[in-house]
């Protein structure tokens, strides 16, 4: 597949200018470019390699982000027990400590996926990259950079429309453009992750029911005081 972002630089930034916790987090992400292994396919070619998963995740990102996270946790960790909000990759803010927030909670995982599908899918991809020591393809930088730029332009247009009402139609157009681009990138990331971890995972109804059941009743063999054997299979 041809790369629509060919005019965007494919090289990552060479240094991190942020300080404190943010600098440490961004530095960790930048260090991934030196990891030894490569993705089997880049984000641009991933939809052709796994079209069904890409389309479903693109159309229903809020419903598929959480199952993809648990699939990765099951594959490279200890399952839902290893979950924390954003897997601890996002620096703490005020009283929010993401490194420990929602630990082992399926409900928090689904809330993250439903409210912040793009961020959640991106975090899952980073988690897989760390587990498999994968470095991003240069095309990946271009696509993610383009998506972030479109989102920023849309944000600027929306705020500008509050001051200049005549820009409302432009703001609406940029909003839906950014939404479309983000959903496409989410689908590409899901396809890329699926190729790495393999299997169907969230595709089976049984798997999805167990995950939702954890979110509703809690973890372990007893869910909110109701033993697992008493719940519908």
């Amino acid at each position: 597949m041809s790369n629509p972002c060919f005019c965007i630089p494919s090289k990552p930034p060479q240094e991190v200018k942020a300080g404190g916790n943010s600098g440490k987090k961004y530095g960790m992400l930048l260090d991934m470019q030196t990891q030894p292994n490569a993705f089997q396919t880049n984000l641009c070619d991933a939809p052709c390699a796994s079209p069904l998963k890409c389309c479903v995740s693109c159309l229903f990102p809020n419903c598929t982000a959480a199952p993809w996270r648990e699939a990765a946790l099951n594959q490279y960790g200890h399952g839902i027990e290893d979950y924390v909000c954003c897997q601890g990759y996002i620096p703490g803010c005020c009283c929010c400590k993401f490194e420990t927030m929602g630990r082992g909670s399926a409900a928090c995982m689904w809330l993250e996926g439903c409210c912040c599908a793009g961020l959640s899918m991106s975090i899952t991809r980073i988690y897989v990259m760390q587990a498999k020591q994968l470095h991003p393809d240069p095309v990946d930088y271009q696509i993610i950079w383009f998506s972030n730029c479109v989102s920023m332009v849309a944000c600027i247009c929306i705020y500008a429309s509050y001051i200049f009402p005549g820009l409302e139609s432009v703001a609406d157009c940029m909003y839906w453009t950014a939404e479309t681009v983000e959903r496409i990138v989410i689908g590409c990331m899901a396809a890329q992750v699926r190729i790495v971890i393999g299997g169907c995972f969230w595709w089976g109804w049984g798997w999805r029911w167990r995950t939702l059941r954890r979110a509703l009743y809690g973890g372990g063999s007893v869910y909110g005081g109701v033993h697992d054997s008493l719940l519908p299979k």
Side-chain angles (χ1 to χ4, degrees):
M1 182 183 294
S2 61
N3 179 16
C5 306
F6 64 90
C7 60
I8 298 174
S10 60
K11 293 183 179 181
Q14 299 302 309
E15 61 178 349
V16 175
K17 297 182 179 180
N21 290 334
S22 297
K24 293 179 182 178
K25 295 294 182 180
Y26 295 140
M28 180 268 297
L29 295 177
L30 194 61
D31 288 342
M32 286 186 177
Q33 63 182 312
T34 62
Q35 295 186 149
N37 303 319
F39 279 107
Q40 293 173 261
T41 180
N42 58 43
L43 287 177
C44 189
D45 296 329
C48 295
S50 185
L52 187 57
K53 303 299 189 296
C54 177
C55 289
V56 174
S57 297
C58 175
L59 295 173
F60 308 103
N62 306 90
C63 300
T64 57
W68 279 121
R69 176 69 58 80
E70 187 168 0
L73 292 173
N74 286 336
Q75 185 77 354
Y76 303 115
H78 299 90
I80 191 65
E81 290 79 10
D82 284 348
Y83 172 80
V84 292
C85 186
C86 299
Q87 293 308 123
Y89 293 134
I90 304 298
C93 179
C94 298
C95 60
C96 298
K97 296 182 178 180
F98 296 109
E99 293 85 354
T100 57
M101 184 181 296
R103 182 176 298 278
S105 171
C108 184
M109 182 179 67
W110 277 91
L111 185 64
E112 176 191 320
C114 290
C115 297
C116 309
L119 175 63
S120 182
M121 192 65 235
S122 181
I123 292 295
T124 299
R125 179 174 175 270
I126 293 172
Y127 177 80
V128 171
M129 289 173 66
Q130 273 201 321
K132 296 287 288 184
Q133 292 192 321
L134 299 167
H135 63 261
D137 188 277
V139 173
D140 295 357
Y141 284 114
Q142 293 177 303
I143 292 176
I144 294 172
W145 192 93
F146 174 74
S147 176
N148 291 341
C149 283
V150 173
S151 295
M152 286 190 292
V153 171
C155 184
I156 292 172
C157 290
I158 289 171
Y159 281 107
S161 68
Y162 296 151
I163 303 174
F164 306 103
L167 294 177
E168 288 182 357
S169 58
V170 176
D172 289 341
C173 180
M174 285 306 306
Y175 169 81
W176 288 111
T177 300
E179 180 74 11
T180 302
V181 170
E182 182 183 22
R183 283 176 175 250
I184 292 172
V185 173
I186 289 173
C188 293
M189 287 184 175
Q192 192 179 53
V193 167
R194 187 268 172 192
I195 293 168
V196 174
I197 63 181
C200 293
F201 295 103
W202 53 267
W203 200 247
W205 282 103
W207 190 94
R208 282 182 288 182
W209 166 248
R210 288 194 298 272
T211 306
L212 285 171
R213 187 169 58 181
R214 289 192 192 101
L216 292 172
Y217 298 101
S221 60
V222 177
Y223 299 88
V226 181
H227 194 273
D228 187 31
S229 61
L230 301 178
L231 292 170
K233 303 297 183 183

